[in-house]
Amino acid sequence: MLMLYNDSVTTDNIMELRKILEVGIAEKAATSRTEKDIKDLRRCIEAMEKCDDGSILSELDNELHSIIGHSCGNYLLMSLVIKSIQEHWNYIITDKSRATKKKTFEQHKELVESIINKKPYIAKVIAQEHLEFVEESLDRYKRELRKKADGTENR
C-alpha cells in the first residue's frame, strides 16, 4: 500500500495495476453485490449524472469505485487502484468538448447496470474498455501538458 503513495510510482504503473485488478473486481462484483450495494451504486451514479463540478465528480468517482470494491467482497483490492482516478478527472475538467466526461460517465453507468443485473462477463468487458479509454485520455492529457511545458502548444 505504501508503494502507491511513493513518488517513484508513476501513473503508468498505477494504470497497469488498475487494468489487472479492476476487470476482475467488476466481474466479481456482478456476482456478489447485495441489495444495499445496488442502492448505493444507483445513488452514486445519479449524483454523478447531475454534477458538473470536477472536484465533486472526482470524489463521486472514488466513491463509486469504493462501492464496486465493497460489492466484490474485498475492499483491499479496490483501495489499491483508487490513486490514479484524480488525474483522469483533472483531464476531464480541462476537456473543453466535454466528450471525455460524457464517455466516462456512460461507461460508469453501463458498468453499474451490468453489476446490478448480475452480468459478470459484461462487467468485465466494460471495465476493460473503460480502462483503455482512461489510459488513452491520460496519455492525451500528458501530451498536452508536455506541449504547454515545452511552449509548443501553438506550433
Side-chain angles (χ1 to χ4, degrees):
M1 287 290 286
L2 292 175
M3 286 292 296
L4 286 177
Y5 299 99
N6 182 327
D7 288 338
S8 66
V9 175
T10 67
T11 305
D12 292 339
N13 297 146
I14 294 170
M15 280 307 305
E16 184 175 23
L17 178 69
R18 285 185 71 181
K19 284 190 213 175
I20 292 167
L21 293 179
E22 278 191 66
V23 171
I25 289 168
E27 184 177 29
K28 185 159 179 6
T31 62
S32 60
R33 92 306 183 259
T34 66
E35 289 302 315
K36 181 182 180 325
D37 295 328
I38 291 171
K39 286 171 67 175
D40 291 343
L41 288 165
R42 285 190 173 137
R43 177 193 45 75
C44 191
I45 203 76
E46 287 170 10
M48 289 177 82
E49 188 169 24
K50 295 174 185 173
C51 184
D52 277 330
D53 182 296
S55 62
I56 293 172
L57 277 169
S58 178
E59 290 174 20
L60 288 168
D61 194 45
N62 279 333
E63 181 180 353
L64 182 71
H65 286 275
S66 294
I67 295 166
I68 293 169
H70 181 268
S71 297
C72 86
N74 189 338
Y75 186 78
L76 176 62
L77 289 173
M78 207 62 225
S79 65
L80 290 172
V81 296
I82 297 242
K83 187 176 179 193
S84 70
I85 291 170
Q86 179 66 46
E87 187 163 354
H88 184 231
W89 281 105
N90 286 341
Y91 173 74
I92 290 170
I93 292 164
T94 63
D95 183 14
K96 292 178 179 52
S97 73
R98 303 183 59 85
T100 304
K101 177 188 173 201
K102 182 179 181 195
K103 184 163 183 169
T104 299
F105 174 74
E106 289 170 358
Q107 289 174 331
H108 281 122
K109 194 170 185 175
E110 290 174 3
L111 180 60
V112 165
E113 288 302 315
S114 66
I115 291 169
I116 287 171
N117 294 317
K118 290 197 166 206
K119 305 280 185 186
Y121 177 75
I122 293 172
K124 179 180 176 180
V125 170
I126 292 168
Q128 287 171 328
E129 290 173 357
H130 174 63
L131 290 166
E132 288 169 10
F133 178 71
V134 168
E135 187 170 42
E136 291 167 9
S137 297
L138 288 173
D139 287 345
R140 202 168 35 252
Y141 179 55
K142 289 177 195 175
R143 283 193 305 274
E144 290 171 10
L145 289 177
R146 278 193 299 272
K147 283 181 182 179
K148 285 181 181 178
D150 294 343
T152 59
E153 73 269 10
N154 294 324
R155 292 184 190 170

